[in-house]
Amino acid sequence: MLAPQANISDAERERGLQQLVIEALFSNTTAALTTGVVLTAFALHLGANNSTIGLLAALPFLAQLAQLPAIALIERARQRKRIAVVSSVVGRSMLGVMALAPFAGPLALPALVTATLVLCALGAVGGCAWNSWMRDLAPENRMGRIFARRTFYATITSLLAGLGAALALEWTPEKSHGRDLAFAALYAAGCAAGLFSAWIVARMPEPIMPGGLRRDTSLLAQVRRPLGDLNFRRLILFLGTWQFAINFATPFFTVYLMRQLGYDMTVVMGLSIASQVANAVALRNWGTLADRFANKSVLLVAAPLYIICIAGMAGGSQIADPAVRLAWLGALHLFMGAAVAGVTLATANIALKLSPRGEAASYLAASAVVTALAAGSAPIIGGLLADFFAVRRLELVGRWTDPDGVFTYLSLALSNWDFYFLLSAVLGLYALHRLGHVEEAGEIGRQEMLRHVVRETRGSIHNFSTVTGLKALTDFPATFARELQVRQRYWRSRRAKDAPQSR
């Protein structure tokens, strides 16, 4: 059942691609119940400080270093499904250990950190095998749509599971025994969903790896091969700088919302769900555009939007009115969710696309190692600098004085986490500079891509909406533009006719 197949029929391949979507429902249920906002809230519930929060955020990335030995394991064993399934079963069993953490007393936080490390390390080993396996299973001309569809349904599932987690935590008071039971139930449910996901993975077909065992299958040789590819090396440099930029700030969004802005868990989870909704709506369009043009073209639009949203988070502390502030944060999370959909899909697909068939394991693992070091070091550095920025404050005030009085027209006060968001945006701009050096077949310019994004978005609104007024509203810009062009052509022709008479 776990062995690779010499021949896979079209029916088996299509069935495997369908199971790929179904598996995402359970694996993302596990992620929604046990990672992200829930993991941060769990750590805060157990008494974690900023350094511990940064460490927990860094572990999933630093654990990707386990892909280095995984490369050699895959090349020698050549059974990617077996590696993926076994590592998934053992790793996700750690979620059961984490479910017991609230009742472990002084050992609660050490148990949480240790179990997270084991889970992430084995997930990295399984992920290395999984990526190489999917590279050979999914047709290249459908890759964007397949993974967009998988991510779409996974996002919907994550949304529902996240909503359930938010309700479970909302109904239990902070620092109470009921909250202990709520976290234990969430992690137990996540463990069960993760094990069922591994069972589905075991039923998917795996093609035999192309080529035989090479003589240069040493770990050093496997890592050096992708680094010798100039274009892939440029891609790795972009991915590394990008991951450092965004992970310098984003792991602390929950801490920022709860501690600096004073929101409770319900609001934090609500903003997270809003982001996931936007993510799900945008995914289909990003997948279509990635297949039609190139992943780099998608990144040239989605990545700058993501950077702007991260910088905009600093605006939350500048808004005094609670309603306006919440609306601002809600809008940012909607745009951020749509941008993350494009960035996540494009970065995963461009690495797959630029990896040669049969060598995807070493190429993707080399990429994962570099990005792991960058993304893993960013939140650790951020956590260590938290106390430094907590006692610093930058104020910019503009005042106009005249006989009638003093008028303040600018008041900007940056403190604590605000510095993180602005620094993250600056680093993100440098990452975009590195992206410009990567070459991908079929890429188009940012302006042209923006036009296609707008066209796809309007098409999605037409498909989702049954309200005539909303459709007319989406038609208005195009109708107005066409009318303007007609009028311009008319007046040009009139001027051309009148010109000889005036002479």
Side-chain angles (χ1 to χ4, degrees):
M1 184 176 180
L2 298 180
Q5 298 175 223
N7 297 300
I8 298 177
S9 66
D10 292 340
E12 288 177 317
R13 187 180 299 274
E14 290 302 318
R15 186 166 57 251
L17 295 176
Q18 291 175 359
Q19 290 172 327
L20 178 66
V21 176
I22 297 173
E23 182 276 334
L25 305 182
F26 293 93
S27 61
N28 280 269
T29 296
T30 298
L33 296 178
T34 61
T35 63
V37 174
V38 176
L39 178 60
T40 303
F42 191 19
L44 291 173
H45 175 71
L46 297 179
N49 56 25
N50 289 326
S51 297
T52 304
I53 297 296
L55 177 60
L56 286 172
L59 284 179
F61 302 105
L62 294 178
Q64 296 302 312
L65 294 174
Q67 291 203 34
L68 282 172
I71 299 172
L73 176 63
I74 292 169
E75 285 292 338
R76 293 183 181 280
R78 307 187 75 77
Q79 296 193 33
R80 297 168 292 187
K81 179 163 68 170
R82 189 182 302 275
I83 295 171
V85 171
V86 172
S87 60
S88 178
V89 170
V90 177
R92 286 169 176 170
S93 298
M94 292 296 102
L95 294 172
V97 175
M98 296 164 74
L100 301 176
F103 316 107
L107 298 177
L109 274 176
L112 179 66
V113 173
T114 303
T116 301
L117 175 60
V118 175
L119 170 66
C120 294
L122 290 175
V125 174
C128 183
W130 170 268
N131 289 332
S132 174
W133 174 11
M134 291 302 106
R135 177 66 177 86
D136 295 341
L137 180 65
E140 186 168 313
N141 62 340
R142 295 168 53 198
M143 192 176 293
R145 282 167 289 175
I146 290 170
F147 284 97
R149 182 167 174 260
R150 167 185 162 86
T151 310
F152 173 80
Y153 287 108
T155 303
I156 296 297
T157 305
S158 298
L159 190 155
L160 297 175
L163 182 60
L167 292 175
L169 297 177
E170 173 65 18
W171 290 340
T172 55
E174 293 186 13
K175 302 298 182 180
S176 66
H177 181 65
R179 183 63 64 89
D180 290 339
L181 294 175
F183 278 118
L186 291 176
Y187 277 82
C191 178
L195 294 177
F196 193 77
S197 164
W199 179 77
I200 296 175
V201 170
R203 297 169 59 84
M204 295 171 58
E206 178 203 355
I208 290 180
M209 290 179 63
L213 186 65
R214 298 183 177 87
R215 294 179 179 178
D216 61 343
T217 51
S218 66
L219 182 59
L220 180 60
Q222 292 295 317
V223 174
R224 287 175 57 185
R225 186 176 295 114
L227 295 180
D229 185 328
L230 177 61
N231 195 42
F232 200 83
R233 188 166 70 243
R234 290 171 175 171
L235 174 65
I236 289 177
L237 183 57
F238 157 70
L239 293 175
T241 53
W242 174 259
Q243 289 294 333
F244 185 91
I246 63 174
N247 285 285
F248 185 76
T250 53
F252 302 101
F253 278 176
T254 301
V255 183
Y256 167 71
L257 294 171
M258 295 181 68
R259 290 187 173 176
Q260 186 168 335
L261 300 186
Y263 289 116
D264 57 23
M265 195 63 196
T266 305
V267 175
V268 175
M269 288 299 295
L271 292 173
S272 176
I273 290 171
S275 181
Q276 292 176 46
V277 170
N279 189 295
V281 172
L283 261 173
R284 177 180 172 274
N285 290 342
W286 289 127
T288 301
L289 293 170
D291 282 341
R292 187 186 305 170
F293 303 109
N295 298 288
K296 179 182 173 181
S297 302
V298 170
L299 285 171
L300 288 174
V301 175
L305 177 59
Y306 194 21
I307 292 172
I308 292 172
C309 291
I310 292 176
M313 288 291 288
S317 61
Q318 311 302 311
I319 302 173
D321 187 286
V324 176
R325 177 195 293 169
L326 189 58
W328 172 262
L329 293 172
L332 283 179
H333 277 74
L334 288 174
F335 282 112
M336 206 178 316
V340 167
V343 171
T344 304
L345 180 68
T347 51
N349 283 356
I350 194 172
L352 278 173
K353 187 176 179 180
L354 298 183
S355 302
R357 288 190 180 275
E359 298 184 48
S362 59
Y363 271 67
L364 294 174
S367 171
V369 168
V370 174
T371 55
L373 291 173
S377 60
I380 291 179
I381 294 173
L384 294 175
L385 292 176
D387 293 335
F388 174 84
F389 285 117
V391 294
R392 264 74 179 176
R393 184 180 178 89
L394 174 64
E395 294 188 20
L396 299 175
V397 179
R399 292 190 178 95
W400 173 262
T401 303
D402 63 18
D404 295 329
V406 179
F407 301 92
T408 300
Y409 59 87
L410 172 66
S411 180
L412 180 66
L414 301 176
S415 63
N416 208 349
W417 302 108
D418 299 330
F419 294 112
Y420 282 71
F421 305 140
L422 298 180
L423 286 172
S424 179
V426 172
L427 294 170
L429 291 176
Y430 174 73
L432 286 178
H433 168 69
R434 303 308 315 172
L435 176 63
H437 298 285
V438 179
E439 298 178 359
E440 183 186 8
E443 64 182 83
I444 60 176
R446 181 184 284 110
Q447 296 299 325
E448 185 178 352
M449 190 65 183
L450 277 172
R451 288 195 292 271
H452 288 287
V453 169
V454 172
R455 187 179 300 120
E456 289 288 336
T457 303
R458 289 180 60 250
S460 296
I461 295 176
H462 275 266
N463 292 334
F464 280 110
S465 173
T466 58
V467 182
T468 305
L470 181 56
K471 288 187 177 182
L473 182 63
T474 63
D475 280 335
F476 172 74
T479 305
F480 180 79
R482 286 195 296 269
E483 180 66 21
L484 187 61
Q485 289 175 352
V486 170
R487 289 180 178 274
Q488 286 176 337
R489 285 196 294 266
Y490 170 75
W491 287 110
R492 284 197 204 101
S493 63
R494 285 291 304 270
R495 286 195 297 268
K497 292 178 180 179
D498 294 342
Q501 298 177 6
S502 62
R503 286 196 293 269

PDB file of all heavy atoms in Angstrom, residues 401-422:
ATOM      1  N   THR A 401       0.787  77.560  14.115  1.00  0.00           N
ATOM      2  CA  THR A 401       0.443  78.592  15.099  1.00  0.00           C
ATOM      3  C   THR A 401       0.136  79.904  14.377  1.00  0.00           C
ATOM      4  O   THR A 401       0.916  80.352  13.521  1.00  0.00           O
ATOM      5  CB  THR A 401       1.611  78.817  16.079  1.00  0.00           C
ATOM      6  OG1 THR A 401       1.935  77.583  16.717  1.00  0.00           O
ATOM      7  CG2 THR A 401       1.222  79.850  17.136  1.00  0.00           C
ATOM      8  N   ASP A 402      -1.001  80.494  14.702  1.00  0.00           N
ATOM      9  CA  ASP A 402      -1.366  81.808  14.173  1.00  0.00           C
ATOM     10  C   ASP A 402      -2.113  82.566  15.267  1.00  0.00           C
ATOM     11  O   ASP A 402      -2.294  82.042  16.376  1.00  0.00           O
ATOM     12  CB  ASP A 402      -2.184  81.676  12.886  1.00  0.00           C
ATOM     13  CG  ASP A 402      -3.520  80.974  13.087  1.00  0.00           C
ATOM     14  OD1 ASP A 402      -3.984  80.892  14.244  1.00  0.00           O
ATOM     15  OD2 ASP A 402      -4.105  80.510  12.092  1.00  0.00           O
ATOM     16  N   PRO A 403      -2.544  83.799  15.013  1.00  0.00           N
ATOM     17  CA  PRO A 403      -3.218  84.580  16.068  1.00  0.00           C
ATOM     18  C   PRO A 403      -4.471  83.918  16.632  1.00  0.00           C
ATOM     19  O   PRO A 403      -4.873  84.205  17.763  1.00  0.00           O
ATOM     20  CB  PRO A 403      -3.567  85.896  15.364  1.00  0.00           C
ATOM     21  CG  PRO A 403      -2.524  86.029  14.295  1.00  0.00           C
ATOM     22  CD  PRO A 403      -2.252  84.640  13.823  1.00  0.00           C
ATOM     23  N   ASP A 404      -5.087  83.011  15.850  1.00  0.00           N
ATOM     24  CA  ASP A 404      -6.302  82.362  16.333  1.00  0.00           C
ATOM     25  C   ASP A 404      -6.025  81.168  17.232  1.00  0.00           C
ATOM     26  O   ASP A 404      -6.942  80.611  17.842  1.00  0.00           O
ATOM     27  CB  ASP A 404      -7.148  81.901  15.147  1.00  0.00           C
ATOM     28  CG  ASP A 404      -7.659  83.087  14.336  1.00  0.00           C
ATOM     29  OD1 ASP A 404      -7.887  84.148  14.940  1.00  0.00           O
ATOM     30  OD2 ASP A 404      -7.802  82.933  13.102  1.00  0.00           O
ATOM     31  N   GLY A 405      -4.799  80.720  17.286  1.00  0.00           N
ATOM     32  CA  GLY A 405      -4.498  79.581  18.139  1.00  0.00           C
ATOM     33  C   GLY A 405      -3.463  78.668  17.518  1.00  0.00           C
ATOM     34  O   GLY A 405      -2.783  79.014  16.545  1.00  0.00           O
ATOM     35  N   VAL A 406      -3.362  77.466  18.108  1.00  0.00           N
ATOM     36  CA  VAL A 406      -2.418  76.445  17.657  1.00  0.00           C
ATOM     37  C   VAL A 406      -3.225  75.268  17.116  1.00  0.00           C
ATOM     38  O   VAL A 406      -4.114  74.747  17.791  1.00  0.00           O
ATOM     39  CB  VAL A 406      -1.503  75.979  18.809  1.00  0.00           C
ATOM     40  CG1 VAL A 406      -0.555  74.891  18.321  1.00  0.00           C
ATOM     41  CG2 VAL A 406      -0.723  77.158  19.383  1.00  0.00           C
ATOM     42  N   PHE A 407      -2.881  74.853  15.898  1.00  0.00           N
ATOM     43  CA  PHE A 407      -3.593  73.757  15.250  1.00  0.00           C
ATOM     44  C   PHE A 407      -2.613  72.608  14.987  1.00  0.00           C
ATOM     45  O   PHE A 407      -1.537  72.823  14.416  1.00  0.00           O
ATOM     46  CB  PHE A 407      -4.223  74.222  13.939  1.00  0.00           C
ATOM     47  CG  PHE A 407      -5.199  75.352  14.101  1.00  0.00           C
ATOM     48  CD1 PHE A 407      -4.778  76.671  13.985  1.00  0.00           C
ATOM     49  CD2 PHE A 407      -6.527  75.104  14.396  1.00  0.00           C
ATOM     50  CE1 PHE A 407      -5.663  77.724  14.134  1.00  0.00           C
ATOM     51  CE2 PHE A 407      -7.426  76.147  14.555  1.00  0.00           C
ATOM     52  CZ  PHE A 407      -6.998  77.460  14.424  1.00  0.00           C
ATOM     53  N   THR A 408      -2.982  71.436  15.420  1.00  0.00           N
ATOM     54  CA  THR A 408      -2.166  70.241  15.183  1.00  0.00           C
ATOM     55  C   THR A 408      -2.714  69.516  13.956  1.00  0.00           C
ATOM     56  O   THR A 408      -3.875  69.089  13.935  1.00  0.00           O
ATOM     57  CB  THR A 408      -2.199  69.295  16.401  1.00  0.00           C
ATOM     58  OG1 THR A 408      -1.700  69.982  17.540  1.00  0.00           O
ATOM     59  CG2 THR A 408      -1.363  68.053  16.138  1.00  0.00           C
ATOM     60  N   TYR A 409      -1.909  69.391  12.920  1.00  0.00           N
ATOM     61  CA  TYR A 409      -2.353  68.732  11.703  1.00  0.00           C
ATOM     62  C   TYR A 409      -1.656  67.384  11.482  1.00  0.00           C
ATOM     63  O   TYR A 409      -1.963  66.671  10.535  1.00  0.00           O
ATOM     64  CB  TYR A 409      -2.122  69.632  10.483  1.00  0.00           C
ATOM     65  CG  TYR A 409      -0.689  70.040  10.256  1.00  0.00           C
ATOM     66  CD1 TYR A 409       0.176  69.234   9.517  1.00  0.00           C
ATOM     67  CD2 TYR A 409      -0.191  71.242  10.785  1.00  0.00           C
ATOM     68  CE1 TYR A 409       1.489  69.611   9.315  1.00  0.00           C
ATOM     69  CE2 TYR A 409       1.116  71.612  10.576  1.00  0.00           C
ATOM     70  CZ  TYR A 409       1.957  70.808   9.836  1.00  0.00           C
ATOM     71  OH  TYR A 409       3.274  71.165   9.632  1.00  0.00           O
ATOM     72  N   LEU A 410      -0.718  67.029  12.346  1.00  0.00           N
ATOM     73  CA  LEU A 410      -0.045  65.736  12.241  1.00  0.00           C
ATOM     74  C   LEU A 410       0.338  65.271  13.636  1.00  0.00           C
ATOM     75  O   LEU A 410       0.951  66.014  14.393  1.00  0.00           O
ATOM     76  CB  LEU A 410       1.219  65.837  11.367  1.00  0.00           C
ATOM     77  CG  LEU A 410       2.113  64.586  11.327  1.00  0.00           C
ATOM     78  CD1 LEU A 410       1.370  63.444  10.653  1.00  0.00           C
ATOM     79  CD2 LEU A 410       3.424  64.871  10.598  1.00  0.00           C
ATOM     80  N   SER A 411      -0.058  64.053  13.952  1.00  0.00           N
ATOM     81  CA  SER A 411       0.314  63.474  15.245  1.00  0.00           C
ATOM     82  C   SER A 411       0.539  61.978  15.058  1.00  0.00           C
ATOM     83  O   SER A 411      -0.405  61.200  14.927  1.00  0.00           O
ATOM     84  CB  SER A 411      -0.793  63.721  16.282  1.00  0.00           C
ATOM     85  OG  SER A 411      -0.429  63.157  17.525  1.00  0.00           O
ATOM     86  N   LEU A 412       1.801  61.596  15.006  1.00  0.00           N
ATOM     87  CA  LEU A 412       2.181  60.201  14.784  1.00  0.00           C
ATOM     88  C   LEU A 412       3.062  59.751  15.936  1.00  0.00           C
ATOM     89  O   LEU A 412       4.109  60.341  16.187  1.00  0.00           O
ATOM     90  CB  LEU A 412       2.926  60.059  13.460  1.00  0.00           C
ATOM     91  CG  LEU A 412       3.407  58.654  13.077  1.00  0.00           C
ATOM     92  CD1 LEU A 412       2.218  57.747  12.834  1.00  0.00           C
ATOM     93  CD2 LEU A 412       4.299  58.715  11.841  1.00  0.00           C
ATOM     94  N   ALA A 413       2.622  58.710  16.646  1.00  0.00           N
ATOM     95  CA  ALA A 413       3.376  58.186  17.788  1.00  0.00           C
ATOM     96  C   ALA A 413       3.588  56.688  17.589  1.00  0.00           C
ATOM     97  O   ALA A 413       2.641  55.901  17.654  1.00  0.00           O
ATOM     98  CB  ALA A 413       2.622  58.456  19.085  1.00  0.00           C
ATOM     99  N   LEU A 414       4.821  56.288  17.332  1.00  0.00           N
ATOM    100  CA  LEU A 414       5.161  54.882  17.113  1.00  0.00           C
ATOM    101  C   LEU A 414       5.803  54.307  18.367  1.00  0.00           C
ATOM    102  O   LEU A 414       6.694  54.919  18.953  1.00  0.00           O
ATOM    103  CB  LEU A 414       6.130  54.750  15.936  1.00  0.00           C
ATOM    104  CG  LEU A 414       5.649  55.294  14.589  1.00  0.00           C
ATOM    105  CD1 LEU A 414       6.749  55.181  13.552  1.00  0.00           C
ATOM    106  CD2 LEU A 414       4.399  54.569  14.132  1.00  0.00           C
ATOM    107  N   SER A 415       5.343  53.131  18.760  1.00  0.00           N
ATOM    108  CA  SER A 415       5.912  52.483  19.937  1.00  0.00           C
ATOM    109  C   SER A 415       5.757  50.978  19.814  1.00  0.00           C
ATOM    110  O   SER A 415       4.935  50.474  19.032  1.00  0.00           O
ATOM    111  CB  SER A 415       5.208  52.977  21.219  1.00  0.00           C
ATOM    112  OG  SER A 415       3.842  52.614  21.204  1.00  0.00           O
ATOM    113  N   ASN A 416       6.556  50.257  20.574  1.00  0.00           N
ATOM    114  CA  ASN A 416       6.440  48.812  20.713  1.00  0.00           C
ATOM    115  C   ASN A 416       6.385  48.101  19.356  1.00  0.00           C
ATOM    116  O   ASN A 416       7.297  48.199  18.566  1.00  0.00           O
ATOM    117  CB  ASN A 416       5.221  48.475  21.582  1.00  0.00           C
ATOM    118  CG  ASN A 416       5.399  47.150  22.314  1.00  0.00           C
ATOM    119  OD1 ASN A 416       6.323  46.399  22.022  1.00  0.00           O
ATOM    120  ND2 ASN A 416       4.523  46.864  23.243  1.00  0.00           N
ATOM    121  N   TRP A 417       5.258  47.421  19.054  1.00  0.00           N
ATOM    122  CA  TRP A 417       5.170  46.591  17.861  1.00  0.00           C
ATOM    123  C   TRP A 417       5.062  47.400  16.576  1.00  0.00           C
ATOM    124  O   TRP A 417       5.253  46.850  15.486  1.00  0.00           O
ATOM    125  CB  TRP A 417       3.976  45.632  17.978  1.00  0.00           C
ATOM    126  CG  TRP A 417       4.045  44.760  19.182  1.00  0.00           C
ATOM    127  CD1 TRP A 417       3.273  44.838  20.297  1.00  0.00           C
ATOM    128  CD2 TRP A 417       4.955  43.670  19.416  1.00  0.00           C
ATOM    129  NE1 TRP A 417       3.634  43.883  21.206  1.00  0.00           N
ATOM    130  CE2 TRP A 417       4.668  43.144  20.693  1.00  0.00           C
ATOM    131  CE3 TRP A 417       5.986  43.092  18.666  1.00  0.00           C
ATOM    132  CZ2 TRP A 417       5.359  42.079  21.232  1.00  0.00           C
ATOM    133  CZ3 TRP A 417       6.675  42.023  19.208  1.00  0.00           C
ATOM    134  CH2 TRP A 417       6.367  41.538  20.476  1.00  0.00           C
ATOM    135  N   ASP A 418       4.742  48.691  16.672  1.00  0.00           N
ATOM    136  CA  ASP A 418       4.664  49.519  15.470  1.00  0.00           C
ATOM    137  C   ASP A 418       5.986  49.508  14.708  1.00  0.00           C
ATOM    138  O   ASP A 418       6.006  49.502  13.474  1.00  0.00           O
ATOM    139  CB  ASP A 418       4.306  50.962  15.836  1.00  0.00           C
ATOM    140  CG  ASP A 418       2.954  51.068  16.513  1.00  0.00           C
ATOM    141  OD1 ASP A 418       2.089  50.226  16.213  1.00  0.00           O
ATOM    142  OD2 ASP A 418       2.773  51.972  17.358  1.00  0.00           O
ATOM    143  N   PHE A 419       7.106  49.529  15.450  1.00  0.00           N
ATOM    144  CA  PHE A 419       8.419  49.510  14.806  1.00  0.00           C
ATOM    145  C   PHE A 419       8.612  48.234  13.980  1.00  0.00           C
ATOM    146  O   PHE A 419       9.229  48.258  12.918  1.00  0.00           O
ATOM    147  CB  PHE A 419       9.522  49.618  15.856  1.00  0.00           C
ATOM    148  CG  PHE A 419       9.541  50.936  16.586  1.00  0.00           C
ATOM    149  CD1 PHE A 419       9.215  51.006  17.927  1.00  0.00           C
ATOM    150  CD2 PHE A 419       9.888  52.102  15.928  1.00  0.00           C
ATOM    151  CE1 PHE A 419       9.240  52.217  18.610  1.00  0.00           C
ATOM    152  CE2 PHE A 419       9.917  53.317  16.591  1.00  0.00           C
ATOM    153  CZ  PHE A 419       9.589  53.374  17.937  1.00  0.00           C
ATOM    154  N   TYR A 420       8.098  47.114  14.478  1.00  0.00           N
ATOM    155  CA  TYR A 420       8.245  45.840  13.786  1.00  0.00           C
ATOM    156  C   TYR A 420       7.599  45.889  12.410  1.00  0.00           C
ATOM    157  O   TYR A 420       8.160  45.411  11.418  1.00  0.00           O
ATOM    158  CB  TYR A 420       7.606  44.722  14.612  1.00  0.00           C
ATOM    159  CG  TYR A 420       8.435  44.253  15.773  1.00  0.00           C
ATOM    160  CD1 TYR A 420       8.626  45.054  16.892  1.00  0.00           C
ATOM    161  CD2 TYR A 420       9.040  42.999  15.762  1.00  0.00           C
ATOM    162  CE1 TYR A 420       9.378  44.626  17.964  1.00  0.00           C
ATOM    163  CE2 TYR A 420       9.800  42.555  16.838  1.00  0.00           C
ATOM    164  CZ  TYR A 420       9.968  43.379  17.928  1.00  0.00           C
ATOM    165  OH  TYR A 420      10.720  42.944  18.996  1.00  0.00           O
ATOM    166  N   PHE A 421       6.387  46.427  12.359  1.00  0.00           N
ATOM    167  CA  PHE A 421       5.648  46.430  11.110  1.00  0.00           C
ATOM    168  C   PHE A 421       6.339  47.294  10.049  1.00  0.00           C
ATOM    169  O   PHE A 421       6.406  46.914   8.876  1.00  0.00           O
ATOM    170  CB  PHE A 421       4.220  46.916  11.355  1.00  0.00           C
ATOM    171  CG  PHE A 421       3.499  46.132  12.422  1.00  0.00           C
ATOM    172  CD1 PHE A 421       2.671  46.764  13.331  1.00  0.00           C
ATOM    173  CD2 PHE A 421       3.667  44.764  12.528  1.00  0.00           C
ATOM    174  CE1 PHE A 421       2.014  46.039  14.321  1.00  0.00           C
ATOM    175  CE2 PHE A 421       3.018  44.022  13.509  1.00  0.00           C
ATOM    176  CZ  PHE A 421       2.196  44.669  14.411  1.00  0.00           C
ATOM    177  N   LEU A 422       6.848  48.430  10.443  1.00  0.00           N
ATOM    178  CA  LEU A 422       7.517  49.307   9.485  1.00  0.00           C
ATOM    179  C   LEU A 422       8.853  48.715   9.038  1.00  0.00           C
ATOM    180  O   LEU A 422       9.208  48.782   7.858  1.00  0.00           O
ATOM    181  CB  LEU A 422       7.713  50.691  10.096  1.00  0.00           C
ATOM    182  CG  LEU A 422       6.419  51.438  10.460  1.00  0.00           C
ATOM    183  CD1 LEU A 422       6.737  52.796  11.063  1.00  0.00           C
ATOM    184  CD2 LEU A 422       5.525  51.590   9.241  1.00  0.00           C
TER     185      LEU A 422
END
